Amino acid sequence: VTIPPMFAGSIALGDTMTYPVYRLVMSAVCLLVAGGMYLLIQRTRLGMMIRAGASNREMVGVLGVQEGDSSSASAALLAAALSMRQGQRVLLVDLCLDGGLSRKLGFSGDSGLYDYLATGKGDLDSLTRSVEGLPGLKFLPKGRFTPQALFEFGEHWPQFLASARSKVDWVVVDLGDYLNTQIPRMALNH
């Protein structure tokens, strides 16, 4: 990296030592960033949520941030980015028990993945929904969760993936609240 000419000089520290201006400026920038982060964490609503999340996860829920939102957003952004590639067909699957993506995209009452998993039957095309503005992206809502769907998950998930892979180039799964269970391992093993 080339040092800008205005920071190329040195400051004399006594008779025998010099200190580069560039390092002094970078030290000052680091102190400003650290001070800014301190103010952000200590004096803003965002900082309050970060502090609450670090010490009390339930408090974050009271403040309106739901657990799993960040993984849902990450899955949705990845699916959208993949679908914008020329000719790519992407299926975004909401596997969250709370149906966060389904709710946010307005498909919370629709049939979906759990309806398929409970029986292992159904037409994947009739269960998927188009996402406005992204012609290459299809969305599979959560559907109606039943204990039977969870019980049949291991048996019907490979069948679902095989059907999905025959129709799309990418399958992006929002695991959300399943991140700490056996289901991601089962899902990723297929």
Side-chain angles (χ1 to χ4, degrees):
V1 175
T2 306
I3 297 174
M6 66 183 345
F7 302 133
S10 295
I11 296 175
L13 298 174
D15 294 334
T16 58
M17 290 180 44
T18 61
Y19 195 77
V21 172
Y22 179 73
R23 287 188 181 177
L24 188 61
V25 169
M26 287 296 106
S27 296
V29 168
C30 289
L31 288 173
L32 286 172
V33 169
M37 290 190 66
Y38 173 80
L39 290 174
L40 175 81
I41 298 295
Q42 295 299 320
R43 308 273 184 192
T44 66
R45 181 173 169 79
L46 174 63
M48 180 177 61
M49 286 190 285
I50 292 170
R51 290 190 321 270
S55 61
N56 186 347
R57 293 184 75 136
E58 291 80 27
M59 179 57 75
V60 176
V62 171
L63 294 171
V65 177
Q66 294 190 14
E67 192 173 344
D69 279 355
S70 60
S71 66
S72 297
S74 298
L77 288 172
L78 175 62
L82 289 170
S83 74
M84 287 187 228
R85 295 177 62 196
Q86 190 67 21
Q88 296 292 304
R89 298 164 304 154
V90 180
L91 176 62
L92 175 59
V93 180
D94 187 358
L95 192 61
C96 285
L97 284 175
D98 72 352
L101 272 179
S102 297
R103 193 174 50 256
K104 287 180 177 124
L105 293 173
F107 301 121
S108 60
D110 293 3
S111 296
L113 178 65
Y114 288 111
D115 301 290
Y116 181 89
L117 291 176
T119 62
K121 298 176 186 162
D123 178 26
L124 192 57
D125 290 329
S126 68
L127 295 174
T128 59
R129 307 292 181 260
S130 296
V131 177
E132 188 177 329
L134 296 167
L137 181 60
K138 295 285 187 182
F139 178 68
L140 181 59
K142 174 190 93 152
R144 291 174 293 275
F145 175 78
T146 63
Q148 182 67 23
L150 194 57
F151 181 73
E152 299 292 340
F153 184 91
E155 182 180 332
H156 296 152
W157 180 253
Q159 178 183 329
F160 160 75
L161 277 182
S163 176
R165 286 182 184 148
S166 70
K167 298 173 192 243
V168 298
D169 302 305
W170 298 93
V171 177
V172 178
V173 180
D174 175 24
L175 297 171
D177 39 16
Y178 280 135
L179 289 175
N180 295 322
T181 68
Q182 274 299 104
I183 291 180
R185 287 184 214 102
M186 290 169 52
L188 297 175
N189 285 337
H190 293 289

